[in-house]
Amino acid sequence: MSNQKIMPFLSFTGNAEEAMNFYVAVLPSAKITSLVRYEKGQPHGDEGKVLNGILSLMGQQMMFMDMPSANPAPVFSWATSFFIHCQSEAEFDAVFSGLSRGGTVMMGPEAIMQFRKVAWVTDRFGVTWQPVWE
């Protein structure tokens, strides 16, 4: 487990592992550091789905879980988003391009105040991100 005192915890309905693999593919240095699946007969989950998974990305960790199909996870909302401070324009462009693939661009990329590029993107899983480059 992480030393991080607060860790985002994302609940999916059957596609948590797909989301984790997507983030590994599109976010710099992201990697799955833990993945535990529901086993046959285990309560509260569907066999083979993610009981809990940890994704390390950009120095932070996030937990993932699949809710059972009989009790699906609520839909994500853009009211909660993940701010990503990109170190370069190339990193911003890669993050924006990856997250927007199959998702919805809500804003940007554009310059706002001291930021050279800002965007607001809801990815194909319904999770909202705000990549920013100063």
Side-chain angles (χ1 to χ4, degrees):
M1 195 56 87
S2 168
N3 290 333
Q4 206 171 299
K5 293 189 183 241
I6 298 175
M7 185 183 306
F9 191 107
L10 302 178
S11 298
F12 293 79
T13 304
N15 60 350
E17 186 171 6
E18 180 185 353
M20 292 174 79
N21 286 322
F22 174 74
Y23 299 135
V24 165
V26 303
L27 296 173
S29 69
K31 63 182 176 181
I32 297 170
T33 60
S34 175
L35 185 62
V36 178
R37 299 176 193 283
Y38 287 103
E39 296 177 5
K40 184 175 182 169
Q42 196 170 11
H44 311 297
D46 299 331
E47 181 181 354
K49 295 300 179 180
V50 176
L51 170 61
N52 61 65
I54 298 177
L55 181 72
S56 174
L57 66 151
M58 301 174 123
Q60 300 296 306
Q61 292 189 334
M62 299 173 73
M63 290 193 80
F64 289 70
M65 176 185 184
D66 276 319
M67 298 296 292
S69 54
N71 187 26
V75 176
F76 292 110
S77 163
W78 59 269
T80 302
S81 61
F82 295 101
F83 182 96
I84 301 175
H85 188 250
C86 298
Q87 299 300 309
S88 67
E89 184 173 21
E91 182 179 70
F92 176 94
D93 292 344
V95 166
F96 174 77
S97 175
L99 290 173
S100 62
R101 193 175 323 123
T104 303
V105 176
M106 299 169 64
M107 182 193 86
E110 60 190 72
I112 296 180
M113 297 170 46
Q114 79 272 22
F115 302 112
R116 294 181 216 175
K117 283 188 176 180
V118 174
W120 204 351
V121 179
T122 299
D123 69 29
R124 69 185 202 192
F125 298 98
V127 178
T128 302
W129 302 83
Q130 294 184 55
V132 172
W133 174 53
E134 281 189 69

